[in-house]
Amino acid sequence: MERFRFELLKEDDQTRARLGRLVTPHGEVATPVFMPVGTQGTVKGMTPEELEELGAEIILCNTYHLYLRPGHELVKEAGGLHTFIGWSRPILTDSGGFQVFSLSHLRRIEEQGVWFRSHLDGSSHFIGPKEAIAIQQALGADIMMAFDECPPYPAERAVVEQAVARTYAWAKECQKAWSREDQALFGIVQGGVHKDLRAQSAEQLVALDFPGYGIGGLSVGEPTELMLETLAWTTQLLPREKPRYLMGVGTPEDLLEGIALGVDMFDCVLPTRNARHGTIFTRTGNVTVRNAQYARDFSPLDPECDCYACTKFTRAYVRHLLKANEILGVRLTTYHNLAFLIRLMKEAREHIAAGTFSSWQKRMLNRLRGKE
């Protein structure tokens, strides 16, 4: 069976953009890549076959949610997550840390881990680094994430310092608990928007020599400019030969900015969540097709897109479906939004390969922001 490895194929001359390849036991992934989020073992509104049709090479599943329901032991009994959900390509599982910490009213942090109450039934649970790894090893994803503490924004410096210290301590425990050679374990850099704490966290985790590194604690409420400034600082602290994964970031603009700063992997619920609210991505900015102005708009969802939703249906029809609460409406907006981001990443890879990424990225950003 093929073991995990990352191949850096090309670096852009004018930006920090990188062309690469992730090799995993379930296939190869071209980077930079956007990973659709399948929180509960399914990307909402999409079948695995449709995801493959769109060109999705890897998806993300959520450890916290799958632990609570249906349970990691049941998934293991079914033959692992790939078999259970009918997806044969690579899977990344997050550690559950972000979900646990976002339940601030339901959890209590200790040095060994976190006690929390289930959002489903109020039952009490504990997850620490050993438990997070045990759950993810039972799920059997190709890439799993170390258990970390994600501080909120804004937060007192002392809170962020403590999160960095815990993240490092837990990363070491995760490494000790990691026993499956067919799974790669990524560390996660924290530090809020403090450059010195980001540098400290990166130095500590790089010393542990993980196969890859997540950049956590961004896009949690801070201004976009501050997020990008922190990201620019953080990526240069990470090993050139290891993949870099910016967690939870997914607007088209942020993806293009992140690629230019040297990020290889992205995930976010935004494209599917926006789709459920009737908002689609286009190359000239977002369009909310639920709005009344599209009731007699018989043009495609996105005139510049050739995905199934855009070639077969109109804004007027999709608006009708959404207003009537028909399932097809949400399926079509979801299909398009994922197609849009997967296509955007493919184009980015092509331009990095051709040496034209910088000029293309500037043009795309101007269009997305309505400046062209």
Side-chain angles (χ1 to χ4, degrees):
M1 179 180 286
E2 185 74 69
R3 297 271 296 277
F4 177 89
R5 70 178 189 275
F6 176 65
E7 299 170 358
L8 185 57
L9 304 176
K10 183 169 182 178
E11 295 172 286
D12 186 52
D13 291 335
Q14 296 177 279
T15 69
R16 296 191 216 157
R18 298 138 54 92
L19 189 67
R21 181 188 297 123
L22 296 169
V23 179
T24 81
H26 287 89
E28 297 184 0
V29 178
T31 64
V33 64
F34 176 80
M35 301 180 284
V37 176
T39 302
Q40 319 240 26
T42 176
V43 177
K44 284 184 170 60
M46 301 287 289
T47 66
E49 185 178 35
E50 287 168 336
L51 289 169
E52 289 186 18
E53 189 178 279
L54 289 181
E57 294 182 334
I58 179 172
I59 63 171
L60 178 147
C61 294
N62 186 271
T63 296
Y64 165 84
H65 287 284
L66 292 171
Y67 159 73
L68 289 177
R69 180 177 57 191
H72 57 292
E73 292 297 345
L74 184 148
V75 174
K76 182 179 180 181
E77 186 182 331
L81 200 49
H82 292 86
T83 302
F84 188 57
I85 71 173
W87 175 255
S88 60
R89 296 181 180 182
I91 297 174
L92 180 148
T93 45
D94 58 13
S95 69
F98 180 79
Q99 281 68 35
V100 167
F101 291 112
S102 67
L103 301 169
S104 56
H105 61 297
L106 295 173
R107 51 90 168 149
R108 184 178 78 253
I109 306 172
E110 298 178 351
E111 290 309 307
Q112 291 74 35
V114 184
W115 284 99
F116 64 96
R117 293 197 172 278
S118 164
H119 70 286
L120 297 174
D121 59 12
S123 56
S124 181
H125 300 266
F126 176 83
I127 292 183
K130 293 175 185 174
E131 290 76 13
I133 295 302
I135 295 165
Q136 290 183 87
Q137 291 193 151
L139 294 174
D142 301 86
I143 303 170
M144 51 186 183
M145 305 301 296
F147 194 63
D148 65 322
E149 179 174 349
C150 179
Y153 178 88
E156 295 289 332
R157 181 183 169 90
V159 171
V160 184
E161 287 175 345
Q162 190 173 47
V164 167
R166 282 203 183 109
T167 293
Y168 177 47
W170 291 350
K172 290 188 287 186
E173 290 299 313
C174 285
Q175 268 197 335
K176 289 178 189 172
W178 172 29
S179 61
R180 282 186 58 169
E181 291 187 352
D182 60 332
Q183 292 179 287
L185 174 64
F186 283 20
I188 303 176
V189 177
Q190 291 291 349
V193 294
H194 303 278
K195 288 186 176 180
D196 61 325
L197 295 182
R198 285 279 170 184
Q200 177 188 329
S201 182
E203 183 180 359
Q204 291 172 336
L205 292 166
V206 169
L208 295 176
D209 195 27
F210 285 99
Y213 293 91
I215 301 168
L218 291 178
S219 193
V220 291
E222 77 281 2
T224 299
E225 300 75 22
L226 190 53
M227 179 192 82
L228 293 175
E229 182 184 328
T230 307
L231 179 62
W233 170 255
T234 306
T235 52
Q236 66 185 359
L237 302 169
L238 297 174
R240 175 176 166 272
E241 72 279 4
K242 302 284 183 74
R244 304 158 182 167
Y245 163 30
L246 178 57
M247 307 177 75
V249 171
T251 70
E253 298 93 324
D254 287 348
L255 295 182
L256 292 177
E257 296 277 22
I259 293 169
L261 293 174
V263 174
D264 306 300
M265 304 165 68
F266 303 85
D267 84 283
C268 194
V269 298
L270 189 70
T272 48
R273 181 179 289 164
N274 274 7
R276 293 195 297 278
H277 291 101
T279 297
I280 61 164
F281 298 134
T282 79
R283 289 176 182 247
T284 52
N286 289 356
V287 171
T288 302
V289 289
R290 285 187 69 95
N291 291 350
Q293 71 192 87
Y294 301 109
R296 286 180 168 78
D297 187 338
F298 303 117
S299 63
L301 283 176
D302 178 358
E304 295 185 54
C305 179
D306 62 359
C307 80
Y308 172 74
C310 292
T311 53
K312 293 288 186 182
F313 307 103
T314 66
R315 292 175 174 181
Y317 177 61
V318 174
R319 178 182 184 270
H320 155 68
L321 294 174
L322 293 169
K323 298 296 282 185
N325 291 320
E326 287 289 344
I327 293 170
L328 181 60
V330 170
R331 284 188 22 82
L332 292 175
T333 53
T334 300
Y335 191 100
H336 165 73
N337 278 356
L338 291 176
F340 183 92
L341 291 189
I342 290 167
R343 167 76 62 81
L344 188 69
M345 303 306 268
K346 183 172 184 284
E347 287 185 28
R349 294 193 298 269
E350 289 170 350
H351 282 284
I352 297 169
T356 54
F357 174 78
S358 181
S359 57
W360 172 80
Q361 186 233 21
K362 289 189 179 88
R363 286 197 311 274
M364 282 300 302
L365 285 173
N366 282 335
R367 293 202 68 197
L368 289 165
R369 291 166 178 161
K371 295 179 181 177
E372 188 177 298

